[in-house]
């Protein structure tokens, strides 16, 4: 039988500053008691298991991972309503009050933030960067399709110079994103990528893709603000992805810290 799992890191007061999270795990007979809240957790309302990141009070408050089973006493999940972007993912708030997790449900390889959460974030941020490139390509394709069929002044708008420049610029940006992503992905496959490199490509792609979806909306004119032509959905999704898996600014600062030999501009 298939099982669903989700990743419980972000909290109501701690997003980019993930290492300061407040959720705790306290040793008890046969396992741990988890207390705390999580927010923006994708698919938490129906996941069979939630990987909750918490500070282990009995191990120097190191951030470690604990598998919480759906239906556990003290566990409450609630869907975040009125979300306009990335609607394919149902995000949720999680509340945990003395939720029991047996010792066997503690992930032993994640000894602290560096060996656990950070390793996962490096891979997941690259995945989000690829999603961003896909959304940008979708916006470009939708705009091209619209420009070829939309008639103004007796001919398709794709025949006008300004439209052709916009289409060329969008595709050029998409091509550059893909080239960069391929290089970083190849480095990761060889175990040679770095968290700074991944943060840089994620931020760079989200900034560039925002330009692509904005141009695509311009190409579609007034019809660009309705969902029929797809580009408005791309714009909304891009706004979520711009801050998804770390904001643009934080990812760029992770890169900057690495480039300057470890000079930290934030905690």
């Amino acid at each position: 039988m298939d099982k669903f799992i989700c990743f419980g890191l972000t909290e109501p007061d701690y997003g980019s500053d993930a290492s300061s999270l407040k959720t705790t795990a306290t040793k008890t007979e046969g396992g741990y008691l988890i207390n705390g809240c999580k927010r923006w957790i994708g698919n938490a309302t129906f996941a069979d298991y939630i990987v909750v990141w918490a500070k282990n009070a009995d191990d120097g408050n190191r951030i470690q991972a604990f598998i919480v089973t759906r239906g556990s006493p003290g566990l409450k999940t609630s869907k975040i309503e009125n979300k306009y972007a990335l609607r394919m993912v149902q995000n949720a708030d999680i509340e945990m009050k003395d939720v029991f997790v047996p010792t066997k449900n503690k992930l032993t390889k994640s000894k602290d933030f560096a060996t656990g959460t950070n390793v996962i974030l490096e891979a997941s941020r690259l995945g989000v960067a690829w999603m961003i490139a896909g959304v940008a390509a979708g916006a470009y394709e939708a705009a091209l399709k619209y420009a070829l069929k939309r008639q103004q002044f007796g001919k398709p708008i794709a025949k006008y110079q300004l439209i052709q420049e916009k289409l060329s610029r969008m595709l050029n940006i998409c091509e550059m994103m893909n080239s960069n992503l391929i290089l970083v992905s190849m480095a990761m496959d060889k175990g040679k990528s770095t968290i700074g490199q991944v943060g840089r490509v994620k931020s760079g792609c989200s900034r560039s893709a925002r330009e692509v979806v904005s141009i695509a909306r311009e190409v579609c004119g007034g019809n660009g603000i309705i969902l029929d032509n797809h580009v408005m959905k791309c714009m909304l999704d891009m706004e979520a992805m711009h801050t998804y898996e770390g904001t643009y600014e934080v990812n760029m600062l992770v890169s900057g810290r690495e480039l300057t030999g470890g000079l930290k501009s934030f905690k």
Side-chain angles (χ1 to χ4, degrees), residues 129 132 173 176-177 180-181 197-211 238 242 247-248 251-252:
I132 288 168
I173 294 171
M176 289 191 293
M177 282 193 291
N180 198 359
L181 283 165
Q197 183 183 35
V198 171
R200 190 164 58 251
V201 75
K202 190 273 174 179
S203 289
C205 283
S206 70
R207 183 173 184 173
S208 297
R210 282 175 114 191
E211 182 180 356
M238 264 312 308
H242 192 55
T247 63
Y248 171 87
N251 274 309
M252 279 302 201

Side-chain angles (χ1 to χ4, degrees), residues 26-233:
T26 307
K27 198 79 174 72
T28 189
E29 184 178 355
Y32 298 85
L33 293 178
I34 310 296
N35 284 279
C37 299
K38 299 292 181 179
R39 183 165 174 82
W40 293 114
I41 310 306
N43 302 326
T45 50
F46 60 85
D48 298 288
Y49 303 106
I50 305 170
V51 179
V52 172
W53 297 88
K55 288 183 175 177
N56 187 343
D58 297 284
D59 191 7
N61 278 328
R62 291 183 175 89
I63 296 175
Q64 298 171 350
F66 303 83
I67 301 177
V68 174
T69 304
R70 181 173 177 77
S72 297
L75 173 67
K76 179 183 177 182
T77 61
S78 53
K79 178 184 175 183
I80 296 175
E81 301 289 350
N82 300 321
K83 194 177 71 157
Y84 279 79
L86 283 183
R87 288 179 293 173
M88 68 177 181
V89 179
Q90 188 179 101
N91 296 86
D93 286 311
I94 299 175
E95 295 180 30
M96 294 165 287
K97 295 181 180 180
D98 289 333
V99 176
F100 177 74
V101 173
T103 301
K104 67 178 182 179
N105 280 21
K106 180 179 180 294
L107 300 184
T108 56
K109 289 187 178 181
S110 61
K111 300 182 184 300
D112 51 29
F113 192 86
T115 60
T117 312
N118 223 34
V119 175
I120 296 170
L121 288 176
E122 184 174 342
S124 62
R125 281 174 181 164
L126 185 59
V128 172
W130 275 108
M131 290 171 60
I132 288 168
V135 170
Y140 158 73
E141 290 174 356
L144 174 61
K145 181 180 178 180
Y146 180 86
L148 289 170
K149 71 177 182 180
R150 174 68 169 173
Q151 297 275 334
Q152 287 293 285
F153 305 105
K155 57 185 178 182
I157 62 172
K159 195 172 181 179
Y160 290 99
Q161 291 179 355
L162 288 176
I163 296 296
Q164 290 189 6
E165 187 277 336
K166 292 178 189 294
L167 294 171
S168 295
R169 186 164 20 129
M170 284 190 285
L171 182 57
N172 178 238
I173 294 171
C174 289
E175 290 170 337
M176 289 191 293
M177 282 193 291
N178 284 341
S179 296
N180 198 359
L181 283 165
I182 289 170
L183 289 175
V184 177
S185 297
M186 290 172 66
M188 182 173 284
D189 287 343
K190 295 176 182 178
K192 295 182 178 180
S193 62
T194 67
I195 190 71
Q197 183 183 35
V198 171
R200 190 164 58 251
V201 75
K202 190 273 174 179
S203 289
C205 283
S206 70
R207 183 173 184 173
S208 297
R210 282 175 114 191
E211 182 180 356
V212 171
V213 297
S214 178
I215 297 169
R217 177 263 181 273
E218 290 176 6
V219 169
C220 294
N223 289 325
I225 68 170
I226 58 177
L227 295 178
D228 303 49
N229 294 306
H230 191 64
V231 295
M232 181 51 66
K233 183 179 185 303

